[in-house]
Amino acid sequence: MPSEFALVAANELSIPFQRLSSFSRLVRTTAWVLRFARWCRKQRSEIERYGLTASECEAVENLLVRQAQLESFPDEMRSAEYGKDVASSSEIRGLAPYVDEHGVLRVYGRVDAALCMPYSARRPVILSHKHSLTELVVRQFHAQMKHQNVDATIAQIRTRFWVTKMRRVLKEVISSCNECKLQRTRPMPPIMGPLPEDRLEAGGWPFKYTGLDYFGPLLVTVSRHREKRWVALFTCLTTRAIHLELAHDLSTDSCIIAIRNFVCRRGPVHRLRSDNGKNFVGADREAK
């Protein structure tokens, strides 16, 4: 048993899996706590003068995984340590679990006996879907995979961990992910207001009910120089036909002239609708 496990067993260190927000933060926090405990025992090395080492993080990860496995699979861990088959009622019996040299429960593989094989390339570590550490692991892989689909994330997780009922755990993580919620949201169209009676008139003449607005300015050539001009857009609220009139500027007088030209060409207007532009308000005041 590694020294880290002996230290935990001697001091009865409780690991708060559910109190940290990510698996990497849990690993680093636990590693600093274990280093502080070694320093208190005068067990200090030269490489510990700087940041955490890869071997420390790997040992802490084994510690966390073993603690989670002891809480989730106590009978299976005991059977695997004594070289016995797990019970037929166990949910991981089909994985043929075994305990490696670090005391971690893994899925059986035919190449695990190769001593020259890197530790990171070993068969996946078994985790229960009920343990809080599993959610931290799945959440970290979900973020590393940039919130991709379920199958791609599961394939990446299984390179290191074998989680029971993994698809269910991953869907729960995705459903609680704020970034995924933003990606899945769809804008709600606003409820449109009721149409005015002007839009529903069926037996009137064209431009009986008319809307008026301006667009521009447009550059036009006058003699040898260019000047700005605006265009008054008249639209029939019933047939949606349009009529254009040139406006010299945005003054009230130009607006009145454009309206007069329009009426002379298209006939009388029963109601003229527009916004509260100064030229429109001025024209309405002059008409009254």
Side-chain angles (χ1 to χ4, degrees):
M1 181 179 292
S3 60
E4 287 80 1
F5 295 106
L7 177 64
V8 172
N11 294 334
E12 298 181 356
L13 179 63
S14 177
I15 304 174
F17 294 103
Q18 68 279 2
R19 298 184 62 179
L20 293 173
S21 59
S22 66
F23 179 66
S24 59
R25 179 174 296 181
L26 175 63
V27 170
R28 296 181 65 83
T29 302
T30 308
W32 282 113
V33 171
L34 294 178
R35 177 181 285 192
F36 174 75
R38 288 195 301 272
W39 286 5
C40 292
R41 294 183 174 184
K42 308 299 183 182
Q43 298 174 356
R44 182 178 302 189
S45 63
E46 289 295 327
I47 60 174
E48 293 183 354
R49 296 176 57 186
Y50 306 101
L52 295 174
T53 63
S55 59
E56 284 183 286
C57 294
E58 184 178 300
V60 168
E61 185 174 319
N62 292 333
L63 169 63
L64 298 174
V65 169
R66 178 174 171 82
Q67 182 67 26
Q69 291 175 343
L70 286 173
E71 296 175 2
S72 303
F73 310 111
D75 298 333
E76 290 84 347
M77 290 284 289
R78 190 179 305 107
S79 299
E81 286 177 352
Y82 287 103
K84 299 180 181 180
D85 294 334
V86 298
S88 58
S89 59
S90 174
E91 60 180 339
I92 62 172
R93 178 178 174 81
L95 302 178
Y98 74 99
V99 176
D100 65 3
E101 67 274 14
H102 297 277
V104 175
L105 197 66
R106 292 181 178 270
V107 180
Y108 174 76
R110 299 179 63 186
V111 298
D112 292 336
L115 299 178
C116 60
M117 188 176 183
Y119 181 74
S120 59
R122 299 290 180 88
R123 296 293 292 173
V125 173
I126 301 175
L127 289 177
S128 173
H129 65 281
K130 301 178 182 179
H131 201 276
S132 56
L133 178 66
T134 305
E135 181 181 354
L136 296 179
V137 171
V138 174
R139 193 178 299 278
Q140 175 166 307
F141 275 91
H142 176 61
Q144 288 179 355
M145 294 296 291
K146 306 301 181 184
H147 309 271
Q148 293 189 39
N149 57 53
V150 174
D151 294 330
T153 307
I154 288 178
Q156 186 65 23
I157 293 175
R158 283 183 176 168
T159 60
R160 295 189 57 196
F161 299 95
W162 188 282
V163 180
T164 59
K165 300 181 180 179
M166 183 187 300
R167 192 174 295 270
R168 178 196 300 180
V169 179
L170 183 55
K171 287 184 177 180
E172 292 177 355
V173 169
I174 293 175
S175 64
S176 62
C177 177
N178 291 330
E179 186 168 341
C180 292
K181 288 180 182 179
L182 292 176
Q183 293 177 358
R184 292 195 302 266
T185 54
R186 295 293 181 268
M188 295 184 61
I191 299 177
M192 305 299 292
L195 293 174
E197 60 179 357
D198 303 355
R199 294 287 302 277
L200 305 176
E201 176 69 29
W205 59 89
F207 295 100
K208 178 180 179 180
Y209 300 99
T210 305
L212 171 61
D213 202 358
Y214 274 24
F215 69 86
L218 305 177
L219 293 178
V220 298
T221 302
V222 179
S223 299
R224 295 185 178 181
H225 62 280
R226 299 172 68 82
E227 295 182 358
K228 292 182 179 180
R229 293 293 185 268
W230 282 260
V231 178
L233 173 63
F234 297 88
T235 177
C236 177
L237 297 180
T238 305
T239 64
R240 310 310 299 170
I242 63 172
H243 177 91
L244 303 179
E245 286 289 339
L246 189 64
H248 187 272
D249 51 30
L250 295 177
S251 64
T252 300
D253 293 338
S254 295
C255 181
I256 294 176
I257 293 173
I259 295 175
R260 285 179 175 175
N261 293 338
F262 164 73
V263 172
C264 291
R265 181 66 179 85
R266 298 298 177 181
V269 178
H270 185 73
R271 183 179 291 118
L272 186 65
R273 293 182 178 271
S274 66
D275 55 21
N276 288 326
K278 291 183 178 181
N279 50 347
F280 300 146
V281 174
D284 179 66
R285 187 182 299 113
E286 291 291 336
K288 291 181 180 179

